[in-house]
Amino acid sequence: MQHIFYLSTCDTCKRILKDIEAPADFILQDIKKDPITAEQLEKMKELSGSYEALFSRRARLYKERNLKDQQLKEEDYKKLILEHYTFLKRPVIINDQKIFIGNTAKTTQAAKNSIHG
């Protein structure tokens, strides 16, 4: 599986996509226009080890709903990510059986090395 889940309105995602230069056989999925499915999220969880690893605490809704004051469980993370695209930490890059989550320089470089190395 060679897949990138991103948000087309996110400048950081656009910069990372340009930087990693994903080959044409990668599937680019704009999660706002084409929401992630439960099956896709399950695959991401298998690769990452948890739904929490995929969850963005930077989402505006996270603050608005005071989720930081709650004890969230794995099932809560799953439900929230499926409920609204902003809860997915972006971008999520899957190259075969490797997953790269988020936009840190280290993660981006590791994804680029995996794809082109």
Side-chain angles (χ1 to χ4, degrees):
M1 179 183 208
Q2 295 179 304
H3 209 119
I4 299 176
F5 299 89
Y6 74 105
L7 192 55
S8 63
T9 55
C10 170
D11 289 337
T12 302
C13 284
K14 287 191 266 193
R15 177 182 50 77
I16 290 170
L17 283 175
K18 185 177 179 188
D19 183 45
I20 63 170
E21 300 171 330
D25 59 344
F26 266 75
I27 297 167
L28 300 179
Q29 182 173 338
D30 181 352
I31 60 174
K32 186 175 183 177
K33 294 177 184 158
D34 185 10
I36 59 172
T37 65
E39 185 179 311
Q40 288 173 325
L41 184 58
E42 196 60 39
K43 178 69 174 166
M44 287 186 230
K45 185 228 180 209
E46 282 175 30
L47 295 172
S48 68
S50 70
Y51 293 113
E52 184 177 7
L54 297 159
F55 187 80
S56 173
R57 288 182 171 76
R58 298 172 102 187
R60 188 172 32 90
L61 289 175
Y62 182 73
K63 293 173 183 74
E64 287 176 8
R65 295 183 187 183
N66 291 318
L67 295 174
K68 67 177 172 26
D69 300 327
Q70 298 177 30
Q71 291 283 32
L72 297 176
K73 296 178 181 66
E74 275 294 287
E75 210 43 47
D76 298 322
Y77 292 120
K78 177 182 178 181
K79 182 176 165 249
L80 288 164
I81 292 169
L82 288 172
E83 176 188 316
H84 202 274
Y85 65 89
T86 58
F87 286 121
L88 182 68
K89 194 182 286 187
R90 304 172 304 271
V92 174
I93 301 166
I94 299 174
N95 186 28
D96 296 322
Q97 292 300 306
K98 294 185 181 130
I99 189 166
F100 305 91
I101 305 162
N103 57 28
T104 65
K106 183 179 174 184
T107 300
T108 303
Q109 188 59 51
K112 190 174 181 177
N113 292 345
S114 173
I115 292 167
H116 299 291

